[in-house]
Each structure stands twice: as C-alpha cells, then as structure tokens.
Amino acid sequence: MKISLIALKTTRYSDTQNILTAYSRELGRVSMSVPAGKGKEASRIRALTMPLGLLECETDVKPGKEVLPMRQVRPLAALAAMRSDPLRQMVAMFIAEVLSVVLRESVPDESVFRYIESSVRCLDSAFGRMAANFHICFLINLGRLLGIEPDVTTYAPGMVMDLRDGIWRHTLPSHPEWLPPAEAAAAADMLRMTFSNMAMFRLSREQRSRALDVVLRYYGMHIAPLSHVRSLAILRSMF
C-alpha cells in the first residue's frame, strides 16, 4: 500500500539498517526499516527522512509486524529552506522530538496529519519573528486538535489561570499549578496566535522562553512530560 509520512526520528539499528519513526496519514505512528550506510540510496533516504521530512512510500502491512518495509520513497515537498537553514532545522528537530512523545498512539488522525503537514510547509517559508515564534504557535494550535485547549472564554482581567483544569479563575485553586494574573493575561493573549499573525507577537528571548516553559508544562500535565526533550536547550540558545 502507499502511505504518506511525516518523519520524526531515525534510530540506528545495525550497520545496514536504521529504524524510522514517523507519523502517517493512513496508519498513524509507524516504525519503518530504512537503509543505513554511505551508499547513494541510503544518503538520499537520509535526506528525505530528516526531522519533519514529508514523503510517501510503498509498504506491506502484516499482522504482528512492528517494523514495516519502505520502498519507492518519494518526497512530498522539497523543503529546500529547511534543508539549508540551521535555525529551521533546529525548530524542526524540536517539534519532531515533541511529536515523538505526544503522538504515541498508532491510530491515524487525518486532521492532525494535515495540520502537521501544512505547518511543515509554513516553517519552510517562515523568516524573522515568524521562525522565532513558530514552535510556540505550533504547540498552541496542536493542543486544540489533541483536545487540551484551555477555555479562553473563562478569562477576564485580574484572574489567575488554572493550568490543571485549563480555565481562568477569580480565586486561587487548591493546587500549585496556576499562573498569576499578569502571566494569565499573557497566556490568554498567546492563545490568539496563529501562523497568519505570529509575526505580530513581539517577544523578547526571555518572554519567548517563559511562554515555551508554560506550554510544555501544560502539555506535561495533560498529555506527557516533555522536560527531557534533548533539543530544548539548543532551541532556547537560538531564540
């Protein structure tokens, strides 16, 4: 069968074989066998399967077979800027690492696949503040598709944000997972961010880092901990 893939990470398996973890339109999360080594075909596939690479291939799906074969690999998008720009590559690496954690279920989701695919194409053309804010915008809007979006209709000035329940409150919750009024207001404002307006958000490096901390903290409470994401420290140093 033919499947469309978003590459997440590649793990060395042997001298001749690597295992690609990817998210597919048709099957959800999959593991695929790809050639390793220095040969021409291995180098071509390695380029296509960079973090967030968009590709399609032929494979055979058999019951009980965890690692699928990969044949007739073709790109779905050139992504020339992502291949040549270290900043975009770092953002892609971070997002791919996060997706490897939050998309653990193998069930396919067309809306999630289409969102990630369109986001990758957007990242390839992003520049300036668009690129700097991209990872935050991506996670905020992904949260809506994953069913963890905070209820911003509960916000009013002076309220605190209850991170555990995803709402704003007039009084402090009984647990420590909340934001004070100033940060709660900033969070409500950030939830308006989209790929169309993200360049309008003029954030300092400190503000961007704090916003990312809050988003990752929120994901950690509602989906899975992300504090161990290895690319996070490098990403912070760039933006």
Side-chain angles (χ1 to χ4, degrees), residues 5 8 13 30 43 78 128 140 156-157 162 175 209:
L5 301 169
L8 300 180
Y13 182 73
V30 293
S43 297
I140 287 173
D162 184 333
H175 56 77
S209 181

Side-chain angles (χ1 to χ4, degrees), residues 30-149:
V30 293
S31 296
M32 310 205 72
S33 173
V34 297
K38 299 180 180 179
K40 183 177 180 180
E41 182 64 7
S43 297
R44 186 182 77 90
I45 293 179
R46 189 157 50 247
L48 293 178
T49 57
M50 67 178 185
L52 298 189
L54 303 176
L55 58 149
E56 64 179 10
C57 71
E58 297 285 340
T59 191
D60 299 319
V61 180
K62 297 179 180 179
K65 192 168 187 178
E66 295 183 358
V67 180
L68 305 179
M70 177 183 277
R71 300 186 305 274
Q72 300 181 33
V73 184
R74 298 171 296 275
L76 287 174
L79 305 179
M82 282 177 57
R83 296 182 193 282
S84 60
D85 180 19
L87 292 180
R88 288 184 180 88
Q89 290 173 5
M90 192 64 247
V91 173
M93 186 179 300
F94 169 76
I95 289 175
E97 195 173 354
V98 169
L99 291 174
S100 295
V101 177
V102 303
L103 299 179
R104 291 198 177 278
E105 298 298 325
S106 61
V107 178
D109 187 316
E110 175 71 19
S111 61
V112 170
F113 184 91
R114 283 191 285 106
Y115 171 71
I116 300 171
E117 180 184 24
S118 63
S119 298
V120 172
R121 296 177 188 272
C122 179
L123 175 59
D124 191 58
S125 61
F127 60 92
R129 280 196 302 274
M130 290 175 64
N133 292 336
F134 185 90
H135 54 296
I136 297 173
C137 183
F138 175 86
L139 291 176
I140 287 173
N141 289 280
L142 177 66
R144 295 188 173 102
L145 295 177
L146 299 180
I148 63 170
E149 178 186 10

Side-chain angles (χ1 to χ4, degrees), residues 153-171:
T153 64
T154 61
Y155 170 73
M159 300 176 77
V160 300
M161 183 181 180
D162 184 333
L163 294 172
R164 186 174 294 178
D165 289 342
I167 59 174
W168 282 257
R169 298 183 183 277
H170 287 289
T171 58

